[in-house]
Amino acid sequence: MNQAITIQNSSKPAEESKKKNSLLGRIAHLSSYEQVSDSFLSFLTTACSEKGFILFPVEDRLTVVFQHGVDMTSCVRMVPEQTSFAEICQKNDWSFFSDSELDVFTSYFSTRERASLVMIAIHPLSLEEETGYLVLVQSRLSLERNQIDTESVLMLIKDFELMLNKNISLLSALSVRNNLMMNSLADKEKMYSAFEERRSASLFSISFELIFPDYEKIETDFDSFTLYRAMVTMIIKQAGPASIVHKKKNYSLRMILFTASETDYDLYIHQMKKPLEKLFGHSRIKKVEIKYEGTARTSDYALDFLAGER
């Protein structure tokens, strides 16, 4: 593929090392989410790119887990097959697309974003045993309209990959796109079985209102969309198979935890939040309100609780 945009000359080694150390220094002591977000934004700044995203492999496709400057429609549509992406991109270097070469991306961008595209630069990312991609976008919608400078970030690629691999669990959670509404029939069967075994049913309500005051933003802002789903995914994972979690219309959760004996709910809430704090940050998870709502003695009471009637 032809490189349509002139790439600026590489900086001196000392300057490259300074950029690298500056990037690594800024992400120290941050949560996984802030580490990836901050280093990604620093990477874009160094590359003079106002738009871009990270594609993460999920089964046979790729999905956007972090983005900057790209509209939500494009981020949601950007789910190419891994094989088709691998066919058009170089294995260990930048691939550049411009003019008619951009036609291959038509179905992945909104009409507005597609009409404004000038050039796309893509570099593969080695993520454990699979391949993700770093995508830089040059657009007429960008405020500065700078030329993308891939030479200036060559020394950052390996460290960027290393940082991403240390945060694979976060990227995996952010990549979840399946419907979070639970299987009511399976949940009822689990519930009836638990009560027959005389297991204790502890009830919890979980609110994200302090993080998302306007919960409709979850449906219109891609970063809020992925962050919410990632947190819910990890909560469900933390709760484990001996639980039932339902999402309400206001994006709050109702959860039932089945145990052999009464639960120390303060300890349980503390233990649930700890891994979430590591991934998403203490200050953010502190705003997730997890409240113990008592116990259910019957399946009818438990069903009413899940429905928000208790």
Side-chain angles (χ1 to χ4, degrees):
M1 303 241 173
N2 295 326
Q3 182 174 331
I5 304 300
T6 302
I7 305 301
Q8 299 173 14
N9 293 329
S10 60
S11 303
K12 296 179 181 179
E15 293 174 340
E16 294 284 6
S17 180
K18 184 177 180 180
K19 289 177 182 177
K20 175 180 174 181
N21 292 334
S22 177
L23 173 62
L24 295 177
R26 281 195 294 271
I27 67 173
H29 310 301
L30 297 175
S31 69
S32 293
Y33 189 85
E34 270 68 38
Q35 280 186 40
V36 179
S37 178
D38 286 10
S39 58
F40 175 53
L41 291 178
S42 294
F43 196 103
L44 292 181
T45 299
T46 304
C48 298
S49 179
E50 293 183 49
K51 292 174 177 280
F53 45 87
I54 299 171
L55 288 172
F56 185 76
V58 181
E59 296 179 349
D60 62 339
R61 291 189 174 272
L62 297 161
T63 187
V64 178
V65 287
F66 276 91
Q67 68 80 34
H68 182 70
V70 183
D71 65 30
M72 183 160 181
T73 299
S74 301
C75 291
V76 172
R77 286 182 180 178
M78 185 63 68
V79 283
E81 293 182 351
Q82 291 188 44
T83 52
S84 63
F85 225 67
E87 289 173 357
I88 64 173
C89 296
Q90 297 190 56
K91 290 185 177 180
N92 299 301
D93 203 354
W94 289 100
S95 299
F96 302 92
F97 304 84
S98 61
D99 301 324
S100 61
E101 296 169 342
L102 293 168
D103 291 344
V104 70
F105 301 101
T106 297
S107 62
Y108 302 129
F109 284 93
S110 66
T111 302
R112 179 170 177 267
E113 290 280 10
R114 173 62 187 91
S116 67
L117 290 179
V118 176
M119 190 264 281
I120 291 178
I122 302 176
H123 197 288
L125 297 169
S126 179
L127 303 176
E128 292 191 336
E129 297 181 356
E130 297 188 89
T131 301
Y133 294 89
L134 174 64
V135 182
L136 308 182
V137 179
Q138 185 170 335
S139 168
R140 297 182 186 88
L141 296 176
S142 299
L143 295 176
E144 299 295 332
R145 297 192 181 183
N146 292 323
Q147 294 181 353
I148 293 176
D149 179 10
T150 55
E151 291 292 325
S152 66
V153 291
L154 283 178
M155 290 186 65
L156 300 179
I157 291 288
K158 288 301 179 184
D159 287 298
F160 190 68
E161 281 183 335
L162 180 62
M163 181 275 302
L164 291 177
N165 277 286
K166 288 181 178 179
N167 294 290
I168 286 293
S169 59
L170 170 71
L171 300 180
S172 180
L174 289 168
S175 71
V176 173
R177 295 291 184 272
N178 60 297
N179 193 340
L180 293 176
M181 296 302 290
M182 311 311 165
N183 187 325
S184 297
L185 180 59
D187 288 344
K188 285 183 179 180
E189 291 177 351
K190 181 190 295 186
M191 184 184 303
Y192 294 147
S193 176
F195 279 112
E196 286 178 1
E197 296 172 2
R198 298 183 181 278
R199 299 178 72 83
S200 176
S202 299
L203 311 178
F204 298 87
S205 62
I206 304 173
S207 172
F208 301 89
E209 186 176 359
L210 294 178
I211 300 177
F212 308 106
D214 178 8
Y215 65 81
E216 291 184 356
K217 189 176 180 181
I218 297 172
E219 301 172 357
T220 58
D221 176 73
F222 187 77
D223 292 343
S224 298
F225 170 78
T226 53
L227 178 59
Y228 170 81
R229 296 176 77 86
M231 289 191 292
V232 172
T233 296
M234 295 309 298
I235 286 172
I236 293 173
K237 183 177 180 180
Q238 285 290 108
S243 66
I244 297 174
V245 182
H246 277 204
K247 179 173 74 72
K248 312 310 296 178
K249 289 183 179 180
N250 65 353
Y251 289 89
S252 64
L253 303 177
R254 289 293 180 99
M255 181 175 74
I256 302 178
L257 177 68
F258 294 105
T259 54
S261 58
E262 291 285 341
T263 301
D264 182 338
Y265 58 86
D266 284 331
L267 177 61
Y268 179 77
I269 292 173
H270 175 76
Q271 290 177 334
M272 173 171 280
K273 281 194 169 187
K274 272 301 179 184
L276 298 176
E277 290 173 358
K278 183 178 180 181
L279 288 180
F280 306 109
H282 175 77
S283 61
R284 181 178 288 113
I285 296 305
K286 184 171 63 175
K287 297 178 181 179
V288 177
E289 296 183 316
I290 304 178
K291 294 182 180 179
Y292 174 67
E293 304 284 2
T295 59
R297 302 298 179 187
T298 66
S299 57
D300 287 341
Y301 189 98
L303 287 171
D304 286 346
F305 173 76
L306 289 176
E309 298 174 4
R310 296 281 184 178

